[in-house]
Amino acid sequence: MADSNEMTINLVVLGRTQAGKSAAGNSLLGSSDFESRLSPSSVTTRCSLGRSCRILGIIRRNACEFSLRIRVLDTPSYPHSGLSREQVRDIVRSALAQHFGEEGLHLALLVLRADLPLCPDESHHAIQFIQELLGPTWKDFTAVLLTHADKAEEAGFSEESYLHSASSTLLSLLSSVQHKYIFLDNQKSMIKEERAIVLRKLLNFIRKNNYQVLLPKRSKE
């Protein structure tokens, strides 16, 4: 049993090749559990679960400090250079049931690159894929991570001006997930203070969903 003054949040990262899923997972964990590198083909071919150490200084309730643990499931990309859509879906679905089937999933993080425009077809396929994995309540359990935010900043965009100039496709997606989004810089190691800000945002998303969890089910053979 977990300590009564400890909270664990379960996350899965989803997205297309080279979006920065594995790097984002490492940033959240404060580690290098997941392989992350530039490659002309999809790097991740199977799901793997990473676990953080106990994190202090993030949660306080009734003057008591709670420790936090993060569990992140890294997944193969979709579309994938070496796996079919059905293979990726079944691999991810099985891993979700294996790792989060009892405790539940708090959030699926759809990873998109802030330095690339989101096209309607890409958004449609991503939403359809998440719906197949999470079911009809997917919007309540999905947030968007906008990676490579440093490149948008180098181009002169603040977060506010970026969203003001964003495509209607991206804005529609953010609206559908109740504006649960976070900007991430994948080009440098996240310092402790930056990581704390991101984790507090994720906890706020979870809190607004009343700490509900989604219980993944295995695929029917």
Side-chain angles (χ1 to χ4, degrees):
M1 293 292 289
D3 191 301
S4 59
N5 286 342
E6 181 176 291
M7 179 180 181
T8 298
I9 60 174
N10 295 326
L11 309 169
V12 60
V13 287
L14 305 167
R16 65 178 300 125
T17 295
Q18 296 296 311
K21 296 190 316 310
S22 299
N26 286 334
S27 294
L28 295 173
L29 293 171
S31 69
S32 55
D33 286 31
F34 307 132
E35 183 180 6
S36 175
R37 57 184 168 83
L38 181 65
S39 173
S41 60
S42 302
V43 174
T44 305
T45 58
R46 61 183 179 84
C47 293
S48 57
L49 185 70
R51 300 174 175 84
S52 74
C53 299
R54 293 172 71 242
I55 307 166
L56 300 175
I58 305 294
I59 316 172
R60 291 187 67 86
R61 290 182 186 170
N62 301 322
C64 294
E65 184 174 55
F66 282 63
S67 61
L68 178 68
R69 290 185 189 271
I70 310 294
R71 298 203 304 164
V72 178
L73 184 67
D74 191 24
T75 64
S77 59
Y78 171 72
H80 195 281
S81 64
L83 297 170
S84 69
R85 170 195 173 86
E86 291 74 21
Q87 285 175 313
V88 174
R89 182 196 62 205
D90 292 345
I91 288 169
V92 176
R93 187 178 281 167
S94 177
L96 285 170
Q98 176 187 348
H99 296 294
F100 302 144
E102 294 184 5
E103 296 181 15
L105 173 72
H106 290 95
L107 272 179
L109 305 176
L110 175 58
V111 181
L112 303 173
R113 291 185 61 141
D115 60 331
L116 297 176
L118 179 65
C119 300
D121 281 351
E122 181 184 353
S123 178
H124 172 74
H125 291 311
I127 290 172
Q128 190 176 52
F129 188 67
I130 293 175
Q131 285 178 317
E132 290 182 19
L133 290 173
L134 305 185
T137 59
W138 70 275
K139 295 178 183 179
D140 296 328
F141 295 95
T142 300
V144 173
L145 290 185
L146 291 159
T147 60
H148 299 82
D150 56 304
K151 293 185 178 180
E153 186 177 347
E154 288 171 5
F157 289 101
S158 64
E159 292 185 10
E160 184 177 341
S161 63
Y162 177 90
L163 293 174
H164 184 73
S165 303
S167 68
S168 59
T169 302
L170 177 59
L171 295 178
S172 176
L173 173 61
L174 297 182
S175 178
S176 70
V177 297
Q178 297 116 45
H179 300 283
K180 299 192 296 290
Y181 64 86
I182 296 173
F183 285 86
L184 277 184
D185 179 356
N186 277 38
Q187 301 306 307
K188 63 182 181 181
S189 298
M190 191 183 296
I191 63 174
K192 183 178 179 181
E193 291 76 12
E194 292 173 332
R195 183 177 175 226
I197 290 171
V198 170
L199 293 180
R200 288 192 184 102
K201 287 181 179 179
L202 290 175
L203 283 167
N204 189 47
F205 298 158
I206 293 168
R207 187 181 301 115
K208 287 182 176 179
N209 199 30
N210 298 314
Y211 298 98
Q212 294 182 86
V213 293
L214 188 72
L215 294 172
K217 297 179 181 178
R218 288 189 181 274
S219 303
K220 295 181 179 179
E221 298 296 337

